[in-house]
Amino acid sequence: LYESKRLDKDKNYLTYLRNLGLAYQGFSDYTSALDTYETLKKASKVIATEEEHALYVNEAGVLYFEAGLFQKALDNYYEALKIRERVLGKNSSEYGYTLNNIGVLFFNTGDYVRAERYYLEAKEIWKNVLGEIHPLYSEVLNSLGALYYQEGNYQKSEDLYLEAVSILEKGHYTD
């Protein structure tokens, strides 16, 4: 569509597609949302910066995850991770965000060993880049707490949950 309409240089087109995809997601119409995001990914590869393109690919991964299409979600996450590593480096909050998404996917599919690996890597990045009082850091602590709880390591789980709660209670972070 975008090629035939000469929209290949209009970034507003990307915004409109993203908004449309999010609207479909809000309706739980994942077929339409995913079709829209596939168009968005194709268009953003031409129109957007690589960093923006990685964002749309990562968001497509989230949609595939929500639709229960875990392999497609993982494929998109790995693509976003590769782009973010090349463009932003491994020590960026965005890289950590995609790692965390991969951890969530593995946690939800019961692969706790791989989930832990990705959570721990995201935790380290967010600790170094955002600091130990940032909500994303507390989010990964909470995710690790849930993982350890599922594995029966209740003490480790409690410690992480308490630390995550403490960070949010303090609320002294900057973006």
Side-chain angles (χ1 to χ4, degrees):
L1 174 68
Y2 74 94
E3 293 158 339
S4 64
K5 300 284 186 184
R6 300 296 307 148
L7 296 170
D8 60 345
K9 295 197 183 345
D10 191 344
K11 282 196 172 189
N12 287 329
Y13 183 59
L14 301 177
T15 301
Y16 300 164
L17 283 173
R18 183 177 189 227
N19 291 343
L20 181 60
L22 293 173
Y24 288 136
Q25 178 187 17
F27 297 136
S28 297
D29 180 356
Y30 291 105
T31 301
S32 298
L34 291 167
D35 287 346
T36 303
Y37 258 83
E38 287 302 320
T39 301
L40 173 59
K41 284 171 37 185
K42 186 176 178 184
S44 71
K45 201 165 192 168
V46 175
I47 301 170
T49 65
E50 283 189 282
E51 186 176 346
E52 292 165 332
H53 177 64
L55 170 69
Y56 301 136
V57 172
N58 189 74
E59 288 178 349
V62 172
L63 282 173
Y64 280 112
F65 174 80
E66 289 179 9
L69 301 168
F70 299 127
Q71 187 57 54
K72 291 283 274 182
L74 195 56
D75 292 344
N76 277 272
Y77 290 150
Y78 283 145
E79 182 182 348
L81 199 61
K82 185 175 163 183
I83 296 166
R84 286 177 165 172
E85 180 180 0
R86 185 178 67 252
V87 174
L88 303 170
K90 285 187 173 183
N91 289 317
S92 69
S93 61
E94 293 85 355
Y95 188 83
Y97 197 79
T98 302
L99 290 171
N100 189 67
N101 285 348
I102 295 169
V104 168
L105 184 147
F106 285 132
F107 176 82
N108 281 279
T109 58
D111 189 342
Y112 300 140
V113 171
R114 290 204 298 185
E116 180 183 35
R117 188 178 99 220
Y118 284 97
Y119 284 153
L120 289 172
E121 193 173 347
K123 176 182 175 252
E124 213 39 48
I125 290 168
W126 285 344
K127 177 182 176 182
N128 294 332
V129 174
L130 302 172
E132 295 181 57
I133 58 171
H134 196 279
L136 286 176
Y137 184 74
S138 69
E139 180 181 319
V140 76
L141 294 176
N142 188 66
S143 296
L144 280 164
L147 185 145
Y148 295 133
Y149 178 86
Q150 287 298 318
E151 292 181 330
N153 190 340
Y154 302 120
Q155 186 59 58
K156 202 168 186 178
S157 176
E158 178 189 24
D159 293 344
L160 289 162
Y161 284 147
L162 287 170
E163 188 178 351
V165 167
S166 173
I167 291 166
L168 291 183
E169 286 177 345
K170 291 176 186 169
H172 302 294
Y173 61 87
T174 59
D175 286 330

mmCIF file of all heavy atoms in Angstrom, residues 14 42 49-50 53 59 67 72 79 87 90-91 103 114 116 120 124 133 135 138 154 156 162 169:
data_model
loop_
_atom_site.group_PDB
_atom_site.id
_atom_site.type_symbol
_atom_site.label_atom_id
_atom_site.label_comp_id
_atom_site.label_asym_id
_atom_site.label_seq_id
_atom_site.Cartn_x
_atom_site.Cartn_y
_atom_site.Cartn_z
ATOM 1 N N LEU A 14 3.864 6.100 9.441
ATOM 2 C CA LEU A 14 4.266 5.144 10.464
ATOM 3 C C LEU A 14 3.479 5.357 11.751
ATOM 4 O O LEU A 14 3.024 4.394 12.376
ATOM 5 C CB LEU A 14 5.763 5.257 10.743
ATOM 6 C CG LEU A 14 6.706 5.027 9.565
ATOM 7 C CD1 LEU A 14 8.150 5.239 9.996
ATOM 8 C CD2 LEU A 14 6.506 3.650 8.962
ATOM 9 N N LYS A 42 7.486 -3.215 7.495
ATOM 10 C CA LYS A 42 7.989 -3.089 6.118
ATOM 11 C C LYS A 42 8.216 -1.616 5.766
ATOM 12 O O LYS A 42 9.260 -1.250 5.215
ATOM 13 C CB LYS A 42 6.986 -3.722 5.154
ATOM 14 C CG LYS A 42 7.463 -3.773 3.726
ATOM 15 C CD LYS A 42 6.449 -4.498 2.843
ATOM 16 C CE LYS A 42 6.908 -4.494 1.404
ATOM 17 N NZ LYS A 42 5.934 -5.100 0.507
ATOM 18 N N THR A 49 14.387 5.565 11.071
ATOM 19 C CA THR A 49 15.756 5.248 11.469
ATOM 20 C C THR A 49 15.785 3.782 11.910
ATOM 21 O O THR A 49 14.739 3.190 12.202
ATOM 22 C CB THR A 49 16.220 6.128 12.644
ATOM 23 O OG1 THR A 49 15.427 5.805 13.793
ATOM 24 C CG2 THR A 49 16.104 7.612 12.311
ATOM 25 N N GLU A 50 16.965 3.225 12.012
ATOM 26 C CA GLU A 50 17.073 1.838 12.476
ATOM 27 C C GLU A 50 16.565 1.700 13.910
ATOM 28 O O GLU A 50 15.945 0.696 14.257
ATOM 29 C CB GLU A 50 18.516 1.350 12.378
ATOM 30 C CG GLU A 50 18.947 1.000 10.980
ATOM 31 C CD GLU A 50 20.302 0.319 10.972
ATOM 32 O OE1 GLU A 50 21.300 1.055 11.103
ATOM 33 O OE2 GLU A 50 20.339 -0.914 10.856
ATOM 34 N N HIS A 53 12.855 1.610 13.709
ATOM 35 C CA HIS A 53 12.458 0.327 13.138
ATOM 36 C C HIS A 53 12.523 -0.770 14.201
ATOM 37 O O HIS A 53 11.612 -1.603 14.313
ATOM 38 C CB HIS A 53 13.331 -0.021 11.930
ATOM 39 C CG HIS A 53 13.040 -1.342 11.321
ATOM 40 N ND1 HIS A 53 11.833 -1.642 10.722
ATOM 41 C CD2 HIS A 53 13.794 -2.469 11.219
ATOM 42 C CE1 HIS A 53 11.855 -2.891 10.290
ATOM 43 N NE2 HIS A 53 13.039 -3.406 10.580
ATOM 44 N N GLU A 59 7.700 -4.068 19.228
ATOM 45 C CA GLU A 59 6.268 -3.984 19.510
ATOM 46 C C GLU A 59 5.492 -5.085 18.786
ATOM 47 O O GLU A 59 4.523 -5.613 19.331
ATOM 48 C CB GLU A 59 5.721 -2.610 19.123
ATOM 49 C CG GLU A 59 6.163 -1.521 20.069
ATOM 50 C CD GLU A 59 5.669 -0.132 19.679
ATOM 51 O OE1 GLU A 59 5.144 0.048 18.559
ATOM 52 O OE2 GLU A 59 5.826 0.780 20.504
ATOM 53 N N ALA A 67 -0.867 -12.631 21.260
ATOM 54 C CA ALA A 67 -1.716 -13.486 20.428
ATOM 55 C C ALA A 67 -1.397 -14.971 20.629
ATOM 56 O O ALA A 67 -2.067 -15.835 20.048
ATOM 57 C CB ALA A 67 -1.552 -13.109 18.959
ATOM 58 N N LYS A 72 6.859 -16.586 16.638
ATOM 59 C CA LYS A 72 6.880 -15.321 15.880
ATOM 60 C C LYS A 72 7.296 -14.170 16.801
ATOM 61 O O LYS A 72 8.029 -13.271 16.383
ATOM 62 C CB LYS A 72 5.512 -15.036 15.251
ATOM 63 C CG LYS A 72 5.128 -15.985 14.139
ATOM 64 C CD LYS A 72 5.846 -15.672 12.869
ATOM 65 C CE LYS A 72 5.099 -14.629 12.085
ATOM 66 N NZ LYS A 72 5.718 -14.307 10.813
ATOM 67 N N GLU A 79 15.165 -10.138 16.280
ATOM 68 C CA GLU A 79 15.476 -9.148 15.238
ATOM 69 C C GLU A 79 15.682 -7.768 15.855
ATOM 70 O O GLU A 79 16.640 -7.057 15.526
ATOM 71 C CB GLU A 79 14.359 -9.107 14.192
ATOM 72 C CG GLU A 79 14.630 -8.135 13.058
ATOM 73 C CD GLU A 79 13.501 -8.051 12.039
ATOM 74 O OE1 GLU A 79 12.586 -8.900 12.046
ATOM 75 O OE2 GLU A 79 13.538 -7.101 11.224
ATOM 76 N N VAL A 87 22.914 -0.706 16.644
ATOM 77 C CA VAL A 87 22.686 0.738 16.607
ATOM 78 C C VAL A 87 22.967 1.412 17.953
ATOM 79 O O VAL A 87 23.574 2.483 17.993
ATOM 80 C CB VAL A 87 21.236 1.041 16.148
ATOM 81 C CG1 VAL A 87 20.912 2.514 16.234
ATOM 82 C CG2 VAL A 87 21.016 0.525 14.735
ATOM 83 N N LYS A 90 24.960 -2.831 23.500
ATOM 84 C CA LYS A 90 24.358 -3.697 24.510
ATOM 85 C C LYS A 90 24.051 -2.969 25.817
ATOM 86 O O LYS A 90 23.299 -3.482 26.637
ATOM 87 C CB LYS A 90 25.271 -4.892 24.795
ATOM 88 C CG LYS A 90 25.272 -5.931 23.714
ATOM 89 C CD LYS A 90 26.068 -7.147 24.141
ATOM 90 C CE LYS A 90 25.937 -8.260 23.134
ATOM 91 N NZ LYS A 90 26.634 -9.480 23.560
ATOM 92 N N ASN A 91 24.643 -1.828 26.020
ATOM 93 C CA ASN A 91 24.420 -1.090 27.259
ATOM 94 C C ASN A 91 23.430 0.043 27.065
ATOM 95 O O ASN A 91 23.691 1.183 27.441
ATOM 96 C CB ASN A 91 25.747 -0.573 27.818
ATOM 97 C CG ASN A 91 26.593 -1.696 28.357
ATOM 98 O OD1 ASN A 91 26.085 -2.579 29.036
ATOM 99 N ND2 ASN A 91 27.868 -1.679 28.039
ATOM 100 N N GLY A 103 12.786 -12.613 28.217
ATOM 101 C CA GLY A 103 12.654 -13.296 29.503
ATOM 102 C C GLY A 103 11.212 -13.578 29.851
ATOM 103 O O GLY A 103 10.864 -14.676 30.308
ATOM 104 N N ARG A 114 16.169 -20.276 30.713
ATOM 105 C CA ARG A 114 16.440 -19.214 29.739
ATOM 106 C C ARG A 114 15.822 -17.887 30.192
ATOM 107 O O ARG A 114 16.415 -16.828 29.979
ATOM 108 C CB ARG A 114 15.941 -19.613 28.351
ATOM 109 C CG ARG A 114 16.793 -20.732 27.779
ATOM 110 C CD ARG A 114 16.795 -20.828 26.295
ATOM 111 N NE ARG A 114 15.502 -21.110 25.709
ATOM 112 C CZ ARG A 114 15.308 -21.321 24.415
ATOM 113 N NH1 ARG A 114 16.315 -21.293 23.567
ATOM 114 N NH2 ARG A 114 14.110 -21.572 23.948
ATOM 115 N N GLU A 116 15.549 -16.781 33.222
ATOM 116 C CA GLU A 116 16.468 -16.204 34.213
ATOM 117 C C GLU A 116 17.661 -15.552 33.530
ATOM 118 O O GLU A 116 18.079 -14.455 33.908
ATOM 119 C CB GLU A 116 16.942 -17.282 35.179
ATOM 120 C CG GLU A 116 17.896 -16.739 36.238
ATOM 121 C CD GLU A 116 18.436 -17.812 37.152
ATOM 122 O OE1 GLU A 116 18.664 -18.952 36.671
ATOM 123 O OE2 GLU A 116 18.642 -17.509 38.340
ATOM 124 N N LEU A 120 18.375 -11.653 34.064
ATOM 125 C CA LEU A 120 19.606 -11.208 34.730
ATOM 126 C C LEU A 120 20.412 -10.251 33.855
ATOM 127 O O LEU A 120 20.987 -9.280 34.360
ATOM 128 C CB LEU A 120 20.456 -12.409 35.149
ATOM 129 C CG LEU A 120 19.906 -13.234 36.314
ATOM 130 C CD1 LEU A 120 20.729 -14.501 36.516
ATOM 131 C CD2 LEU A 120 19.844 -12.401 37.594
ATOM 132 N N GLU A 124 21.139 -6.305 34.874
ATOM 133 C CA GLU A 124 22.479 -5.712 34.917
ATOM 134 C C GLU A 124 22.551 -4.447 34.066
ATOM 135 O O GLU A 124 23.119 -3.435 34.483
ATOM 136 C CB GLU A 124 23.489 -6.769 34.450
ATOM 137 C CG GLU A 124 24.843 -6.727 35.066
ATOM 138 C CD GLU A 124 24.925 -6.404 36.551
ATOM 139 O OE1 GLU A 124 24.217 -6.970 37.393
ATOM 140 O OE2 GLU A 124 25.736 -5.523 36.872
ATOM 141 N N ILE A 133 17.146 2.693 41.247
ATOM 142 C CA ILE A 133 15.889 3.246 41.760
ATOM 143 C C ILE A 133 14.908 3.524 40.623
ATOM 144 O O ILE A 133 13.913 4.211 40.817
ATOM 145 C CB ILE A 133 16.138 4.525 42.595
ATOM 146 C CG1 ILE A 133 16.855 5.581 41.772
ATOM 147 C CG2 ILE A 133 16.889 4.193 43.876
ATOM 148 C CD1 ILE A 133 16.956 6.944 42.448
ATOM 149 N N PRO A 135 11.983 2.467 37.842
ATOM 150 C CA PRO A 135 10.889 1.486 37.799
ATOM 151 C C PRO A 135 11.166 0.281 36.898
ATOM 152 O O PRO A 135 10.684 -0.818 37.180
ATOM 153 C CB PRO A 135 9.693 2.271 37.265
ATOM 154 C CG PRO A 135 10.058 3.687 37.291
ATOM 155 C CD PRO A 135 11.529 3.803 37.469
ATOM 156 N N SER A 138 13.037 -2.112 38.982
ATOM 157 C CA SER A 138 12.143 -2.810 39.914
ATOM 158 C C SER A 138 11.279 -3.836 39.176
ATOM 159 O O SER A 138 10.958 -4.892 39.717
ATOM 160 C CB SER A 138 11.272 -1.824 40.695
ATOM 161 O OG SER A 138 10.328 -1.195 39.861
ATOM 162 N N TYR A 154 11.589 -19.556 47.673
ATOM 163 C CA TYR A 154 10.744 -18.508 48.254
ATOM 164 C C TYR A 154 11.539 -17.394 48.928
ATOM 165 O O TYR A 154 11.127 -16.231 48.864
ATOM 166 C CB TYR A 154 9.737 -19.136 49.217
ATOM 167 C CG TYR A 154 8.876 -20.176 48.538
ATOM 168 C CD1 TYR A 154 8.872 -21.495 48.967
ATOM 169 C CD2 TYR A 154 8.096 -19.838 47.431
ATOM 170 C CE1 TYR A 154 8.093 -22.450 48.322
ATOM 171 C CE2 TYR A 154 7.321 -20.788 46.782
ATOM 172 C CZ TYR A 154 7.326 -22.089 47.232
ATOM 173 O OH TYR A 154 6.564 -23.028 46.587
ATOM 174 N N LYS A 156 14.576 -16.227 48.112
ATOM 175 C CA LYS A 156 15.126 -15.369 47.066
ATOM 176 C C LYS A 156 14.001 -14.540 46.430
ATOM 177 O O LYS A 156 14.175 -13.355 46.137
ATOM 178 C CB LYS A 156 15.824 -16.232 46.009
ATOM 179 C CG LYS A 156 16.841 -15.517 45.187
ATOM 180 C CD LYS A 156 17.666 -16.531 44.379
ATOM 181 C CE LYS A 156 18.790 -15.860 43.663
ATOM 182 N NZ LYS A 156 19.617 -16.803 42.914
ATOM 183 N N LEU A 162 10.587 -7.626 47.852
ATOM 184 C CA LEU A 162 10.745 -6.530 48.815
ATOM 185 C C LEU A 162 11.572 -5.388 48.217
ATOM 186 O O LEU A 162 11.243 -4.213 48.414
ATOM 187 C CB LEU A 162 11.383 -7.038 50.110
ATOM 188 C CG LEU A 162 10.486 -7.880 51.006
ATOM 189 C CD1 LEU A 162 11.292 -8.526 52.136
ATOM 190 C CD2 LEU A 162 9.334 -7.052 51.554
ATOM 191 N N GLU A 169 8.058 2.417 46.245
ATOM 192 C CA GLU A 169 7.609 3.231 47.376
ATOM 193 C C GLU A 169 8.413 4.516 47.502
ATOM 194 O O GLU A 169 7.878 5.567 47.834
ATOM 195 C CB GLU A 169 7.687 2.419 48.685
ATOM 196 C CG GLU A 169 6.596 1.403 48.786
ATOM 197 C CD GLU A 169 6.712 0.550 50.054
ATOM 198 O OE1 GLU A 169 7.784 0.544 50.718
ATOM 199 O OE2 GLU A 169 5.719 -0.134 50.362
#
